[in-house]
Amino acid sequence: RYTEYLHLAEAENQVEQYLTMLVRTDQVEAAMDAAKTLLHSLAEAFALARALREKGAQAQALVIAQTGLNLEGAAHYQHELAVWASDLAEELGDTQAALATRIKAFNARPSLEDYQTALKLAGDEESKVRTELLQLLGQHSSWDSQSAKVGIFLQEGLLDDAIATVKDLGYYQGELVRQVMAAAINQRPDWVIENASHRAEEIMDAGKANAYHHAVEWLQQARAAYLASDRQAAWQAYRTRLLGRHARKHKLVGMLKQRDLA
């Protein structure tokens, strides 16, 4: 009873159901015509694009996906659709569309993977696209862009930008901070020492016994930077001061006397 279904969906303004059923009943051209006036959201466009692709109408699916990227939708859905469209464009041999939609995916939600894919698709335009992507990345300040920033900045050798990204990050993003410290240990040892020591001292001064192991991890980073910059004596002096300051914190002192902090 497909005809009745279509009439009901159209009457009830059920756009997604109406358009996708047109495709499933082999009315691809009718669906494409109706989409010009009926599509109002990214979600509707994505559903129609998938139905078209399943029916084997890949070129039409790409057109609808590209249309959908200009419609209203949440950022994570924009990213998902843009990646989907980029992959489809690559399959169709349309490198220009693949690159354009991959850049849109990156702008919706930056990631190292999309950055690398876009540069690969750029070909001779790699330098221009790199500049564009870095500019887009600089416009993002949300917490979920920080991992992408760190990965991309480190890949591009933009160590100062990576440091600026993580220097004030909190406990839950410690792994990102350590990632940058590992890259900075030879070129910016003073920053590693200062940042890691500050993080460790905050924990130790507050007497947070259940977090002492985190303090030790930060001190390991500081120690590595001291040694990388040939300042063994300075590290030993700093360690001695810590032992004196926190002499009554037996649990902490025991940790500080471990061999890897000698």
Side-chain angles (χ1 to χ4, degrees):
R1 302 171 61 181
Y2 296 125
T3 301
E4 293 175 27
Y5 180 101
L6 287 167
H7 287 322
L8 179 61
E10 185 177 21
E12 295 293 331
N13 199 31
Q14 298 295 316
V15 174
E16 179 179 326
Q17 290 83 348
Y18 177 69
L19 294 177
T20 55
M21 183 56 74
L22 283 175
V23 173
R24 290 171 186 146
T25 54
D26 298 316
Q27 301 180 68
V28 170
E29 291 307 315
M32 295 297 291
D33 287 339
K36 294 175 183 177
T37 56
L38 293 181
L39 282 180
H40 295 295
S41 74
L42 184 151
E44 293 168 350
F46 202 176
L48 176 57
R50 281 174 166 152
L52 288 164
R53 190 176 188 181
E54 290 171 5
K55 185 58 76 171
Q58 284 90 343
Q60 292 92 330
L62 179 58
V63 169
I64 294 298
Q66 291 170 310
T67 299
L69 291 172
N70 295 317
L71 299 176
E72 184 178 348
H76 65 282
Y77 286 134
Q78 290 175 348
H79 178 266
E80 184 181 356
L81 176 56
V83 169
W84 187 91
S86 182
D87 290 340
L88 176 57
E90 270 200 272
E91 290 178 18
L92 294 172
D94 190 341
T95 304
Q96 184 176 356
L99 174 59
T101 48
R102 187 65 63 165
I103 291 174
K104 286 190 175 184
F106 181 84
N107 189 38
R109 192 181 68 192
S111 73
L112 177 59
E113 180 182 358
D114 288 330
Y115 181 83
Q116 293 171 332
T117 300
L119 291 183
K120 182 179 177 181
L121 290 167
D124 295 338
E125 297 291 314
E126 181 178 336
S127 178
K128 177 182 176 182
V129 171
R130 175 180 284 106
T131 299
E132 179 181 356
L133 293 174
L134 290 174
Q135 288 175 343
L136 291 173
L137 185 62
Q139 296 170 11
H140 284 263
S141 58
S142 60
W143 66 268
D144 58 351
S145 68
Q146 289 158 347
S147 178
K149 286 184 175 182
V150 167
I152 292 167
F153 289 151
L154 292 182
Q155 176 178 296
E156 295 295 347
L158 300 171
L159 184 56
D160 288 337
D161 291 307
I163 288 173
T165 300
V166 305
K167 64 184 180 68
D168 295 323
L169 293 186
Y171 163 76
Y172 290 106
Q173 293 155 305
E175 185 55 40
L176 284 180
V177 181
R178 285 187 284 273
Q179 186 179 340
V180 175
M181 285 182 175
I185 194 167
N186 292 315
Q187 298 180 56
R188 302 288 189 277
D190 288 341
W191 173 77
V192 176
I193 291 168
E194 179 183 355
N195 196 277
S197 298
H198 174 72
R199 292 172 184 274
E201 289 171 18
E202 274 194 330
I203 296 170
M204 295 184 293
D205 291 345
K208 298 178 181 178
N210 62 340
Y212 283 161
H213 61 290
H214 292 302
V216 170
E217 289 173 358
W218 291 121
L219 289 175
Q220 288 171 331
Q221 297 288 334
R223 174 182 178 273
Y226 273 114
L227 299 185
S229 54
D230 295 321
R231 287 182 277 177
Q232 173 75 29
W235 161 250
Q236 291 291 351
Y238 176 60
R239 179 176 176 273
T240 299
R241 289 197 301 273
L242 289 178
L243 288 171
R245 188 193 309 170
H246 302 289
R248 296 185 178 182
K249 298 170 183 171
H250 301 297
K251 178 180 178 180
L252 176 61
V253 170
M255 291 181 172
L256 292 177
K257 288 183 176 180
Q258 292 181 84
R259 282 174 66 185
D260 55 0
L261 285 176

